[in-house]
Amino acid sequence: MPDTPRTPPPGPDAAGGAASGPQAWPGRRLGLPEHGPRSIARIGRRVGGIAIDWALAYIVAFAFFQGEGIAITIVFVLIQIVFLITLGGTIGHLALRMRVVPMQGGPLGVWRPIVRTLLVAVVIPAVVWDLDQRGLHDRIAATVLVRV
């Protein structure tokens, strides 16, 4: 089973669920299932995942850099990029059974994790979402966070 989103299902939501009314579930316009593997990761998992990642970054920064504020952010960014490139998800994502996949299929590559992570570090793009619960950081990087 591929890790990438499918083409949208036929019907009014395929052209853009917002114009034809609310969509049945986040990810439907992207051709993703409502529940289970490959469905959009919901807010609880996302918050839990980023909390785990920030906690790990804080622990590493405290252990090696006396917990300096900028050190925590730098460690967070480095951990995010390395794990996204190598495993397709951060430690928090993987612990909560999520994965980042590119919208067009294929490998995640290097540029998507870098762009996505830098935007998450800025915070604002991560809290601006669309109907499919994809943050601006995912839209710009052409990725989607799905359940495994």
Side-chain angles (χ1 to χ4, degrees):
M1 181 179 266
D3 290 332
T4 58
R6 299 174 304 192
T7 56
D13 282 342
S20 59
Q23 66 177 350
W25 64 84
R28 178 177 171 158
R29 294 179 315 147
L30 305 175
L32 299 174
E34 183 175 5
H35 300 289
R38 298 187 59 246
S39 64
I40 294 286
R42 301 303 201 274
I43 184 71
R45 285 178 189 257
R46 291 171 184 260
V47 170
I50 201 162
I52 290 169
D53 292 336
W54 274 111
L56 291 172
Y58 179 79
I59 291 167
V60 170
F62 186 77
F64 294 101
F65 306 104
Q66 290 74 44
E68 294 292 325
I70 192 70
I72 297 168
T73 303
I74 291 170
V75 169
F76 174 80
V77 166
L78 291 175
I79 288 173
Q80 292 273 312
I81 291 171
V82 168
F83 279 90
L84 283 171
I85 291 171
T86 59
L87 300 175
T90 66
I91 296 169
H93 291 155
L94 299 173
L96 297 178
R97 303 188 40 79
M98 297 180 287
R99 196 155 175 231
V100 177
V101 296
M103 288 296 299
Q104 299 301 317
L108 195 55
V110 174
W111 77 268
R112 282 176 173 62
I114 292 171
V115 168
R116 186 180 189 280
T117 299
L118 292 176
L119 290 171
V120 167
V122 175
V123 178
I124 300 301
V127 297
V128 177
W129 295 1
D130 65 9
L131 292 173
D132 295 306
Q133 294 184 0
R134 288 176 61 220
L136 188 56
H137 62 296
D138 276 324
R139 291 184 55 95
I140 290 171
T143 58
V144 62
L145 186 62
V146 296
R147 293 179 56 189
V148 177

